[in-house]
Amino acid sequence: MTEDFLQYIWQYGYFNSHNIKTTGGENIIIRNRGILNKDSGPDFFNARIIIGQTEWAGNVEIHLKSSDWQKHKHQNNKAYNNVILHVVYEDDYPGLMPTLEMKNLLNPDLYLKYINFIHSSTKIPCQKLFKNVPPIIIDKQIERCLLERLEEKTLQLKPSFDNSNGNWEEFAYRTLAAGFGLKNNVLPFELLAKSLPVNIIKKLCGNLFAIEAILFGQSGLLDIATTDDYVEALKKEYVFHKNKLGLKPIEGNIWKFAKMRPIAFPTIRIAQFAAFINNTPHIMDTLNTIKYTEEWFKIFSVKASAYWDTHYVFGKTSNKKIKTTGKDFSIRVLANVAVPLIFFYANYYGEHTLKERAIALLEQIPPEKNNITRMWQSLSLKINSTAITQGIIQLNNKYCIQKKCLNCSVGNYLIKPIEK
């Protein structure tokens, strides 16, 4: 038996509640089981329960054993002063307070279903029964997970916003820079943007070469580059701005090239970021006006300058290929960076219409393709947008992997008693 399962049973009333008594022999009539509390303090708030002849309003605490009350030192915590009923699996320490022992009130089949999920060897615990779940329940859980994921991403963005001193342009610039780094070069891109404030780089808009020079110079990559005419020109341009503005570059050796496709090399991404900044001088305003993904792809469809048509790194020529931001890359940045940015802004100012627009953008984007989405597609789940794939990723990572079946609408549906 687990405490989570007892909380689940109490929350939904999946136990025999007829003619129940406290372990002290007083009759119990449950008017309201209360509201689940996911933070610190008692497990359920605002319950209404008749114990004996008195109706009580207060909180309910759930434990496996009544002795856990003492073990957790709730008797010394004022937050627990208004607990009206102690619900336990086993009352091994009688007399503390009105206590309901659940051991003989539970349906053993429910716990068996739950244990089968918890100990399932499949990556999706309910995989074998998934086909029995009504689509509306699955859709609602994925939608809920999408919102959870967006809320989590906004929380992750808050430190960056605070470090930007409330400057939305600086915040958007730094966040998008990190997005260009994807997984391997997020930190170097963050450090690069932090070393070069947006107000400096915006003054260079309209001069792509100068933006490239100052970005590559601040990246530290020019210090370790194999030289050629282009590199020398970049260095000359960078030194001018460096001396004028008192800039200090980051270390060039922190950038990662190993085990990466050449098109994703940081040199290419920095050149593409330079083109994006040159074309988009007002980042946050631009993001907040996007209504359709076609607008995003138009804005984000940038290519590195001509030098990079025949290079992936400095000083080493390669077969000619124009280095544009591909659609897959654009989708990843929109889904993981741009939409969370818009959502953060909308949350900050309470603009619900803007939040809906951010979600609508995800609904317009073709679905992401990765191991997680392929696994869920194998269950015949219809996946037709990035809104769904983002929800699935959250569902998989925060519920399935962690075996949080009791907190999932799908798991709840499969575990709950069969209605007769």
Side-chain angles (χ1 to χ4, degrees):
M1 182 58 59
T2 68
E3 199 168 293
D4 283 348
F5 185 72
L6 277 184
Q7 288 182 356
Y8 165 78
I9 290 296
W10 179 262
Q11 181 180 4
Y12 294 102
Y14 295 152
F15 60 96
N16 181 6
S17 59
H18 300 293
N19 299 320
I20 56 176
K21 298 177 182 292
T22 68
T23 52
E26 293 184 289
N27 291 326
I28 296 175
I29 299 174
I30 302 169
R31 297 295 191 200
N32 190 317
R33 292 184 301 276
I35 301 168
L36 179 64
N37 171 33
K38 296 182 179 180
D39 295 319
S40 60
D43 294 313
F44 289 85
F45 288 147
N46 302 325
R48 297 188 72 87
I49 300 172
I50 299 174
I51 302 175
Q53 300 299 316
T54 305
E55 182 170 351
W56 298 87
N59 306 324
V60 173
E61 178 67 3
I62 311 285
H63 282 132
L64 287 179
K65 296 183 177 182
S66 51
S67 59
D68 290 338
W69 181 276
Q70 301 284 80
K71 184 189 293 185
H72 299 164
K73 299 182 179 179
H74 293 332
Q75 69 275 14
N76 300 325
N77 189 335
K78 292 181 180 179
Y80 293 83
N81 286 353
N82 198 30
V83 170
I84 59 174
L85 184 65
H86 195 195
V87 177
V88 301
Y89 181 71
E90 179 183 359
D91 185 16
D92 67 336
Y93 201 113
L96 283 175
M97 64 183 66
T99 300
L100 174 63
E101 186 177 71
M102 300 283 279
K103 185 162 51 177
N104 298 317
L105 303 177
L106 304 180
N107 181 340
D109 290 341
L110 298 191
Y111 188 62
L112 181 60
K113 290 179 186 178
Y114 169 61
I115 289 300
N116 286 338
F117 284 157
I118 294 302
H119 296 294
S120 171
S121 60
T122 58
K123 291 184 178 180
I124 302 173
C126 64
Q127 184 170 317
K128 295 178 182 178
L129 299 173
F130 189 78
K131 62 183 178 182
N132 299 330
V133 183
I136 189 170
I137 290 177
I138 298 170
D139 293 345
K140 288 292 183 183
Q141 179 63 33
I142 291 174
E143 182 181 343
R144 169 184 154 195
C145 285
L146 169 62
L147 292 173
E148 285 180 7
R149 186 168 174 81
L150 285 171
E151 292 292 350
E152 283 185 11
K153 284 179 178 292
T154 59
L155 286 175
Q156 293 167 4
L157 288 173
K158 191 176 184 308
S160 177
F161 179 71
D162 292 340
N163 290 334
S164 302
N165 297 317
N167 183 325
W168 285 101
E169 277 301 293
E170 184 70 34
F171 171 53
Y173 160 70
R174 292 185 184 186
T175 305
L176 273 167
F180 270 78
L182 295 179
K183 287 184 178 181
N184 292 312
N185 284 298
V186 170
L187 180 59
F189 258 108
E190 286 179 346
L191 294 174
L192 170 58
K194 190 175 180 180
S195 76
L196 188 62
V198 71
N199 65 317
I200 290 177
I201 204 165
K202 282 175 72 171
K203 291 177 181 177
L204 301 174
C205 285
N207 186 344
L208 177 58
F209 180 75
I211 294 176
E212 281 189 327
I214 202 168
L215 282 171
F216 278 121
Q218 284 299 104
S219 74
L221 289 172
L222 288 181
D223 294 334
I224 57 177
T226 301
T227 191
D228 59 19
D229 290 344
Y230 176 70
V231 172
E232 290 303 313
L234 285 177
K235 286 181 177 179
K236 184 177 179 180
E237 180 75 14
Y238 172 62
V239 167
F240 168 77
H241 295 289
K242 178 184 178 182
N243 293 337
K244 179 182 177 181
L245 301 168
L247 299 174
K248 184 178 180 180
I250 66 175
E251 295 292 329
N253 57 13
I254 66 173
W255 296 91
K256 296 178 181 178
F257 288 81
K259 297 181 181 180
M260 294 179 63
R261 295 180 303 120
I263 193 63
F265 280 176
T267 41
I268 302 300
R269 294 305 186 206
I270 291 172
Q272 291 169 339
F273 184 61
F276 173 77
I277 293 297
N278 188 54
N279 296 342
T280 317
H282 306 291
I283 302 171
M284 199 71 238
D285 287 346
T286 300
L287 292 180
N288 285 340
T289 57
I290 296 172
K291 293 184 179 180
Y292 305 102
T293 52
E294 289 78 7
E295 297 174 58
W296 168 256
F297 292 130
K298 184 177 180 181
I299 293 166
F300 206 71
S301 182
V302 294
K303 67 182 186 71
S305 58
Y307 175 83
W308 299 103
D309 292 349
T310 54
H311 293 79
Y312 288 100
V313 294
F314 290 116
K316 185 178 180 180
T317 59
S318 60
N319 293 332
K320 186 173 182 178
K321 181 180 180 180
I322 297 174
K323 310 301 191 305
T324 58
T325 49
K327 193 163 188 177
D328 286 345
F329 179 70
S330 299
I331 288 173
R332 290 177 70 180
V333 175
L334 177 59
N336 294 296
V337 184
V339 166
L341 262 173
I342 299 168
F343 207 82
F344 184 95
Y345 184 95
N347 257 352
Y348 190 87
Y349 288 108
E351 296 188 13
H352 298 292
T353 302
L354 190 56
K355 288 174 73 170
E356 291 173 0
R357 188 191 304 167
I359 294 171
L361 285 172
L362 293 178
E363 292 172 341
Q364 296 172 37
I365 309 173
E368 301 162 277
K369 296 178 182 178
N370 52 49
N371 291 335
I372 293 176
T373 59
R374 282 189 285 270
M375 179 172 63
W376 283 86
Q377 276 182 315
S378 70
L379 301 184
S380 299
L381 181 65
K382 188 177 181 180
I383 302 175
N384 55 19
S385 74
T386 289
I388 295 176
T389 58
Q390 287 285 295
I392 286 172
I393 291 169
Q394 181 78 0
L395 175 61
N396 188 79
N397 293 345
K398 300 296 183 177
Y399 292 84
C400 298
I401 290 177
Q402 298 183 35
K403 303 294 180 70
K404 296 287 187 180
C405 305
L406 298 177
N407 303 113
C408 170
S409 300
V410 176
N412 195 329
Y413 176 84
L414 292 170
I415 293 171
K416 73 178 184 178
I418 298 174
E419 297 180 3
K420 296 180 181 180

